[in-house]
Amino acid sequence: MLTSFAGTLSCPVASGHVFHVRAKSIDDAERVDIGFQADKTADADAVLHLSVRYEDQRIVRNARLGGQWQQPEQHCDPSTSKVLQRIVTGKVFTVYVLVGDQQFHVAFEGSAVCTYPIKGSLAELRAITITKDVHQVLSVDHRQSFPYPFPALQGTDDLYYFSNDVPKPFLPGHIIIVTAIPFGNPRGGFILKFNENGSKRQALHFNPRFDPHYVVVRNSHASDALDFRQEERSGGFPFIIDQQFKLAIGLAEQEFLFAVNGSRFETYGYKAPRQLDVLHGFRIECTGGLQLEVTAVDHYYSGVPNCAGFEEYSDPDVEIV
């Protein structure tokens, strides 16, 4: 199954930021392309374009500025040849990109493999795309390593189906829009989690459960012992198996707000003071054989603390570029 991903970033990119991408290629893949772009469109300028090439196990780097491709670079230090031999079709791979003062530093499977000079303006970097021979996208994380790490804990948990970190604390008025398709076992479900400070304590447990329940459970942990509170289940069930949905999550001053496919759904109140200060993104876990194809995560700061009108961003006809 082919898929792709395109998402807008939560904030401007600066030196010291790190991108973490985990994805899986199809079994007969020729290439997977990762674009760090001005927007999500196919012909957008890109300050960095990485192309993982499977046939000859190399990573080609380039940039597209003013609509023109620059000179590609494809050679890596000979000492990295064993690392690049891990470029194998049908397998999950991990790419890290550290934004330096003058160049991007690229690591593959935890080992540094190459660099590419920053030829354009980082201010133009607003989106990430993952295209070509992609089977599944597991992580699109944007983090900060300098002047201090955020999130402080940056481990990878293979139990999660998808992750999306951000490099700065959220502000009231921030809106996250997740586009995905649920498929597989219709008796399963998925859980979207906001954890506190990289711990296992969940500030939000958003759990759509399909057949036979057809309910969206909202909850959170009441203590470090990970005891859950009383569940909230009102609002009906706006998800359909094998059909794409757009879920908008508004981070307001006192509560999470939800909208699905253009209609306001429900809310869940924060259970801790200054709740947004300890959140750095979300994780998705699938249960009971259900799977979720995440094709986009868009971040938008509305500047309106109560997120008024946020539901329009979940409308399938509203494009976010």
Side-chain angles (χ1 to χ4, degrees):
M1 181 183 72
L2 275 174
T3 189
S4 62
F5 178 91
T8 55
L9 300 177
S10 64
C11 67
V13 177
S15 175
H17 284 197
V18 179
F19 293 95
H20 166 232
V21 173
R22 290 179 70 234
K24 181 180 181 181
S25 70
I26 60 175
D27 289 338
D28 56 349
E30 295 182 2
R31 62 193 282 184
V32 171
D33 290 352
I34 306 172
F36 298 84
Q37 305 182 175
D39 59 53
K40 300 194 301 183
T41 60
D43 57 353
D45 278 1
V47 293
L48 176 65
H49 183 272
L50 298 178
S51 186
V52 180
R53 306 292 177 88
Y54 286 88
E55 183 177 0
D56 44 11
Q57 295 178 314
R58 58 195 172 103
I59 299 178
V60 179
R61 292 87 68 198
N62 207 341
R64 180 173 177 153
L65 306 175
Q68 300 295 319
W69 287 106
Q70 306 300 294
Q71 184 66 29
E73 296 186 9
Q74 54 187 318
H75 299 294
C76 296
D77 190 303
S79 64
T80 66
S81 60
K82 289 186 177 180
V83 177
L84 296 177
Q85 288 174 10
R86 302 177 195 169
I87 299 178
V88 180
T89 61
K91 302 293 185 181
V92 174
F93 66 87
T94 303
V95 170
Y96 281 96
V97 177
L98 170 65
V99 182
D101 291 330
Q102 298 181 338
Q103 57 188 357
F104 296 102
H105 302 263
V106 181
F108 185 84
E109 295 299 313
S111 299
V113 292
C114 55
T115 61
Y116 189 75
I118 300 175
K119 298 181 178 181
S121 170
L122 291 178
E124 298 299 313
L125 204 176
R126 302 188 185 95
I128 293 182
T129 62
I130 306 172
T131 57
K132 301 298 185 184
D133 301 326
V134 186
H135 173 70
Q136 182 183 2
V137 177
L138 298 135
S139 298
V140 183
D141 296 319
H142 178 193
R143 300 166 175 162
Q144 176 178 273
S145 64
F146 178 85
Y148 60 88
F150 189 91
L153 301 177
Q154 300 181 6
T156 297
D157 190 337
D158 293 337
L159 293 177
Y160 290 120
Y161 198 83
F162 181 83
S163 68
N164 186 257
D165 285 339
V166 299
K168 294 182 178 181
F170 293 110
L171 296 174
H174 193 105
I175 302 168
I176 303 170
I177 306 97
V178 181
T179 305
I181 303 171
F183 67 98
N185 189 345
R187 297 182 69 85
F190 68 90
I191 307 168
L192 188 150
K193 307 177 181 180
F194 282 84
N195 290 11
E196 296 184 358
N197 283 331
S199 70
K200 293 184 178 180
R201 179 168 174 166
Q202 297 175 40
L204 173 66
H205 180 98
F206 184 88
N207 179 201
R209 300 174 185 175
F210 289 75
D211 185 29
H213 308 287
Y214 297 110
V215 64
V216 180
V217 173
R218 284 94 61 201
N219 211 334
S220 60
H221 285 140
S223 67
D224 291 335
L226 307 185
D227 300 317
F228 276 109
R229 305 174 191 272
Q230 184 69 33
E231 292 181 350
E232 297 183 12
R233 292 176 166 232
S234 59
F237 194 76
F239 302 97
I240 301 174
I241 197 77
D242 294 327
Q243 291 192 22
Q244 178 176 282
F245 66 81
K246 285 179 72 175
L247 167 66
I249 305 171
L251 306 180
E253 294 176 289
Q254 303 295 331
E255 59 188 352
F256 297 97
L257 309 173
F258 308 103
V260 181
N261 295 339
S263 297
R264 192 153 181 162
F265 174 58
E266 270 291 351
T267 66
Y268 188 77
Y270 302 148
K271 308 304 181 185
R274 302 185 64 85
Q275 182 72 87
L276 296 183
D277 290 351
V278 296
L279 306 184
H280 56 76
F282 66 89
R283 303 285 188 270
I284 293 176
E285 177 184 344
C286 293
T287 62
L290 186 93
Q291 299 184 60
L292 200 66
E293 180 185 354
V294 181
T295 58
V297 176
D298 294 297
H299 291 268
Y300 177 74
Y301 179 62
S302 67
V304 182
N306 67 357
C307 296
F310 83 102
E311 56 269 22
E312 71 176 280
Y313 296 101
S314 73
D315 191 313
D317 294 329
V318 174
E319 293 188 15
I320 303 170
V321 296

